[in-house]
Every structure is written in C-alpha cells, then in structure tokens.
C-alpha cells in the first residue's frame, strides 16, 4: 500500500488571517504558533518582505 504524497494547502479552520501559517504547520507537522512567531520575526528582520510572501501564498495556494 502506498501513502499519497503530502500536499500543501491553506488550513482555514485554525486560521487567524488567511490560513497560510496553519497550512505550513499542518504540512510540516509542527504547531502553528511556532510558524506564526517565525513569520513575525522574519517580517521584522526582513523589512516586511515576508509579508509580501505571505500574501502571495494566501492568494495562490489551494484551499483545504
């Protein structure tokens, strides 16, 4: 029996904004809070570049 490959998708039920961090956490098998903290820190130190990446993922990724 083969296991179907994991696919990334936005995770709307536990979402705070668009479900990007929850989707990444679900895909990676970690807590969504860790991903959210990482995005905030990355946005601060990346001068907002992660905010643009977040929005792109939010609009282009498939919904669950």
């Amino acid at each position: 029996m083969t296991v179907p490959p994991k696919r990334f998708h936005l995770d709307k039920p536990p979402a705070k904004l668009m479900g990007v961090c929850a989707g990444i956490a679900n895909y990676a098998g970690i807590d969504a809070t860790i991903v959210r903290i990482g995005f905030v820190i990355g946005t601060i130190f990346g001068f907002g570049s992660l905010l643009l990446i977040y929005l792109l993922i939010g609009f282009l990724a498939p919904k669950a």
Side-chain angles (χ1 to χ4, degrees):
M1 177 162 57
T2 61
V3 177
K6 282 174 117 174
R7 296 186 51 107
F8 174 78
H9 63 275
L10 299 178
D11 202 2
K12 289 294 188 174
K16 296 292 182 194
L17 187 60
M18 297 175 78
V20 174
C21 291
I24 292 171
N26 188 10
Y27 181 78
I30 58 175
D31 187 26
T33 305
I34 295 170
V35 178
R36 290 180 183 121
I37 291 170
F39 257 94
V40 169
I41 292 171
T43 300
I44 291 169
F45 288 115
F47 303 107
S49 59
L50 273 184
L51 182 61
L52 294 174
I53 293 169
Y54 183 94
L55 292 173
L56 281 173
I57 294 171
F59 288 121
L60 297 177
K63 281 49 169 185

